[in-house]
Amino acid sequence: MFGVNMWDYEMLGDEIAQLSSSCFGPDGNYLKWSDFKGAFFNSTVPHEDNFQFNFPNKVVDDYVRLDVSSSASDVTAFTVCMWIKVGDQSDDGTLFSYATEDQDNELLITDYSRFKILIGGSKVTLDGVTANDDEWHHICTTWENGEGSWHFYIDTELKGSGSDFETGHVISSGGIVILGQDQDEYGGGFESDQSFNGKMFGVNMWDYEMSEDEIVQLFSRCFGPEGNYLKWGDFKGGEEGDVEVEAPTTCLPL
């Protein structure tokens, strides 16, 4: 296969004829052939990141832990993105929890029945914003401390944003990331009603605030660029309880 391109308009016959006269015609203005380079993937091709976590029970024993090195940089801005598939209709359910010895809610993304974001212990609640319909959804949260600006996306749709959210705050390194539980104390203090119950894939963290265009690019394929601060492959091996590693992932770009 060669030369796959897509335009966002209906071409005329003369334009089609022009394309057929040369192998190297104009790029598509919506999708161009070079975009596909490096994106080749299917379930029969080995890929170290082609796995997902299944959290089969809503219990405190099931989670994934990753310790962040104290030599890592402190964070003044971030983007955290992941794919989730959740059918749990009960209240709450934690995706991502980062705690330090000084602050258990240093960074928390929780409650797929009514999303909440906590940074440095401060909270914003997104009333009516859910992702528990048993379909795959791409979740992205961004923040920077210069103006305290934040954005929350589901499947590239901006669901909430604001400013003056923990302006000037610095997220310290050397803490613990827990997928699937809310740390009410450093590395623990879990409650079953806050437990994640579903599937999770592709958790990545960058140390800068991504633009909306960059979020769209991540959403267009399951295997996008890795986080430059935390990457999906780092989490493998941190499973506790009955968390299952399933391969290949069943996530598909929407």
Side-chain angles (χ1 to χ4, degrees):
M1 187 181 295
F2 167 73
V4 179
N5 286 279
M6 181 177 176
W7 292 261
D8 61 1
Y9 61 91
E10 183 183 21
M11 281 193 174
L12 302 175
D14 289 346
E15 293 174 295
I16 300 294
Q18 286 294 319
L19 289 177
S20 66
S21 66
S22 171
C23 291
F24 295 94
D27 290 333
N29 71 339
Y30 193 78
L31 297 174
K32 61 183 184 293
W33 174 234
S34 60
D35 293 337
F36 294 94
K37 190 174 183 180
F40 171 72
F41 186 85
N42 65 46
S43 61
T44 66
V45 179
H47 193 296
E48 62 183 4
D49 292 341
N50 185 19
F51 69 92
Q52 64 195 24
F53 291 131
N54 180 36
F55 298 76
N57 309 303
K58 199 171 179 68
V59 295
V60 298
D61 296 326
D62 294 357
Y63 59 93
V64 178
R65 173 172 171 154
L66 176 64
D67 289 22
V68 178
S69 172
S70 58
S71 64
S73 300
D74 293 341
V75 173
T76 59
F78 69 77
T79 300
V80 174
C81 294
M82 66 190 73
W83 291 86
I84 65 168
K85 185 176 188 287
V86 173
D88 176 23
Q89 296 298 308
S90 60
D91 187 40
D92 221 330
T94 301
L95 286 64
F96 185 102
S97 169
Y98 177 68
T100 64
E101 292 183 350
D102 296 328
Q103 175 56 256
D104 55 3
N105 287 324
E106 189 67 278
L107 169 54
L108 178 66
I109 304 167
T110 189
D111 196 354
Y112 38 65
S113 65
R114 188 178 69 161
F115 276 100
K116 302 178 183 71
I117 305 164
L118 284 82
I119 297 173
S122 299
K123 178 173 68 175
V124 294
T125 301
L126 291 89
D127 290 326
V129 180
T130 66
N132 57 346
D133 58 358
D134 207 28
E135 300 289 342
W136 280 107
H137 292 288
H138 190 239
I139 311 296
C140 279
T141 308
T142 75
W143 171 81
E144 58 81 31
N145 75 350
E147 298 181 355
S149 66
W150 63 276
H151 300 80
F152 185 81
Y153 302 87
I154 298 181
D155 302 334
T156 74
E157 183 178 345
L158 183 63
K159 296 292 188 178
S161 64
S163 59
D164 296 322
F165 184 30
E166 281 297 297
T167 303
H169 181 69
V170 176
I171 298 174
S172 301
S173 62
I176 298 170
V177 175
I178 299 289
L179 303 181
Q181 302 287 345
D182 179 357
Q183 299 176 75
D184 288 333
E185 59 187 53
Y186 186 57
F190 308 146
E191 298 179 16
S192 60
D193 62 345
Q194 298 173 333
S195 302
F196 184 91
N197 182 202
K199 300 180 187 294
M200 187 181 296
F201 165 73
V203 180
N204 286 281
M205 180 175 177
W206 294 262
D207 61 1
Y208 61 93
E209 182 184 27
M210 279 193 176
S211 67
E212 185 171 347
D213 287 345
E214 291 174 298
I215 300 293
V216 170
Q217 286 296 315
L218 289 177
F219 174 72
S220 66
R221 56 183 179 177
C222 291
F223 292 91
E226 295 176 334
N228 71 341
Y229 195 81
L230 300 175
K231 61 182 184 296
W232 177 232
D234 294 338
F235 291 94
K236 195 169 187 178
E239 313 89 55
E240 298 289 347
D242 291 329
V243 175
E244 301 165 345
V245 178
E246 301 176 336
T249 180
T250 56
C251 167
L252 293 172
L254 301 179

